[in-house]
Amino acid sequence: MSRTLLVTGGAGFVGGALIKSLLTEYSDAVIISLDNYFTGSPENHVNDPRVTYIDGSTVDIAKIWAGRGLPAPEIVFHLGEYSRIVQSFEDHDLTWDFNLLGTKEVVKFTAGHGAKLIYAGSSSKFGNDGEDENLNPYAWTKAKNIEYIKNYSNWFGLDYAITYFYNVYGPGQITTGKYATVIGIFERQYLAGEPLTVVSPGTQTRDFTHIDDIVRGLVLVARGGTGDGYLLGAGNERPLAEVAKLFGTEFVLVPALRGERTRGQADTAKAAELGWQAERRLDEYVAGFVAANPR
């Protein structure tokens, strides 16, 4: 008998990479992706008969699952939420629907099937001694979901583990549009021969984590993690201006953005208990990118 794994947001940057890994790590599994394709793309699909891609909303997860007669999942990787800070002011309603309404249904669905929930929390909740969770709609909804998951487990029973991503980068990242990632934007601007745009003041720090390390962390947490606190980051604070300098080209400062935090660095102690640590370095990644694309 094969096991069933569900990945919400499976057509996204992290979800697509996770599914590739799950196909190897769980050789007996069939994998279902549920994605509304808000930022996900068919380009991230894996061409494998063991993977089924469903276009739908997490709000309707129970109805979608029952309508297709799918077997009960063993693990639910919940990555399918709204995940941008600055844009969440403009997309307030979407942030509410995707993150609060959708996650409520995913939690209920997971518990109802006796599955284990692996939730992708947001590292934004740790900024400024926890005060930054109220800086913007995105951080606030993600922080409330952590509270909800813990309470639901106490109220009704739920096997869960919560991970936190720190500025994920690597192959497959979004490089264009308002949902592009920092390293994705820098790469696009570099290839176009444009100066890199660094948000003022440029001294704010971020902890950048390669997609391969994130995916490896998710698998380890799924296998042996329990409860809250699995921070997946390199553990290094890097000022954004210094990151831009790694590309060896000109950069310019642009106006500060609403709702952004000033510092970011992961405390990886709990993830380390599972044998996880970041193996990929940002400076080596950027050096490889620049070497492969000389200007």
Side-chain angles (χ1 to χ4, degrees):
M1 294 290 291
S2 61
R3 70 180 81 189
T4 299
L5 309 178
L6 168 61
V7 179
T8 71
F13 170 36
V14 177
L18 175 61
I19 287 176
K20 291 178 184 177
S21 178
L22 293 177
L23 287 169
T24 300
E25 297 291 338
Y26 293 87
S27 59
D28 62 338
V30 294
I31 301 167
I32 310 296
S33 166
L34 177 62
D35 200 304
N36 65 3
Y37 292 84
F38 180 69
T39 56
S41 169
E43 294 180 359
N44 294 323
H45 286 189
V46 179
N47 185 20
D48 189 293
R50 292 164 56 199
V51 185
T52 298
Y53 291 92
I54 300 174
D55 185 347
S57 169
T58 52
V59 173
D60 302 317
I61 186 171
K63 184 188 302 183
I64 291 170
W65 207 264
R68 289 176 171 257
L70 295 168
E74 181 175 305
I75 305 173
V76 176
F77 296 88
H78 185 31
L79 315 179
E81 292 187 317
Y82 187 97
S83 60
R84 291 297 180 271
I85 288 176
V86 176
Q87 295 83 350
S88 68
F89 288 103
E90 177 184 350
D91 295 336
H92 178 265
D93 288 343
L94 289 177
T95 307
W96 184 278
D97 291 349
F98 292 178
N99 293 9
L100 295 179
L101 298 183
T103 294
K104 177 180 76 72
E105 294 302 323
V106 170
V107 169
K108 181 180 178 181
F109 169 86
T110 304
H113 284 286
K116 181 175 184 178
L117 176 69
I118 308 301
Y119 180 65
S122 171
S123 60
S124 59
K125 81 184 292 287
F126 299 110
N128 193 22
D129 296 324
E131 293 298 319
D132 283 359
E133 71 177 47
N134 299 309
L135 269 182
N136 53 76
Y138 164 71
W140 183 82
T141 58
K142 295 289 283 187
K144 293 307 160 189
N145 280 344
I146 301 299
E147 294 179 21
Y148 181 68
I149 289 168
K150 292 179 177 180
N151 284 329
Y152 194 99
S153 179
N154 290 330
W155 296 333
F156 305 112
L158 172 69
D159 185 9
Y160 72 90
I162 299 172
T163 63
Y164 298 87
F165 302 166
Y166 280 76
N167 288 83
V168 190
Y169 69 92
Q173 64 196 335
I174 301 175
T175 61
T176 61
K178 68 178 185 177
Y179 302 106
T181 62
V182 173
I183 302 300
I185 292 171
F186 285 172
E187 288 186 356
R188 174 179 54 78
Q189 292 171 333
Y190 176 90
L191 293 174
E194 302 170 353
L196 309 188
T197 53
V198 176
V199 174
S200 293
T203 55
Q204 67 272 39
T205 65
R206 297 292 183 269
D207 192 347
F208 291 90
T209 320
H210 194 278
I211 182 64
D212 291 351
D213 288 324
I214 291 292
V215 166
R216 186 166 46 83
L218 283 167
V219 172
L220 283 172
V221 171
R223 286 179 169 160
T226 183
D228 192 12
Y230 295 97
L231 281 60
L232 304 180
N236 299 318
E237 283 188 279
R238 290 182 178 271
L240 291 186
E242 296 301 316
V243 173
K245 290 178 183 178
L246 294 175
F247 287 82
T249 188
E250 178 186 3
F251 73 88
V252 296
L253 293 176
V254 297
L257 299 173
R258 183 183 181 192
E260 289 210 321
R261 56 183 170 163
T262 58
R263 297 183 62 189
Q265 182 178 16
D267 177 353
T268 61
K270 189 165 183 178
E273 294 174 2
L274 299 178
W276 184 91
Q277 66 176 2
E279 297 178 351
R280 303 291 297 273
R281 292 174 53 93
L282 179 65
D283 53 354
E284 294 175 352
Y285 170 85
V286 174
F289 172 81
V290 171
N293 300 280
R295 291 174 63 169

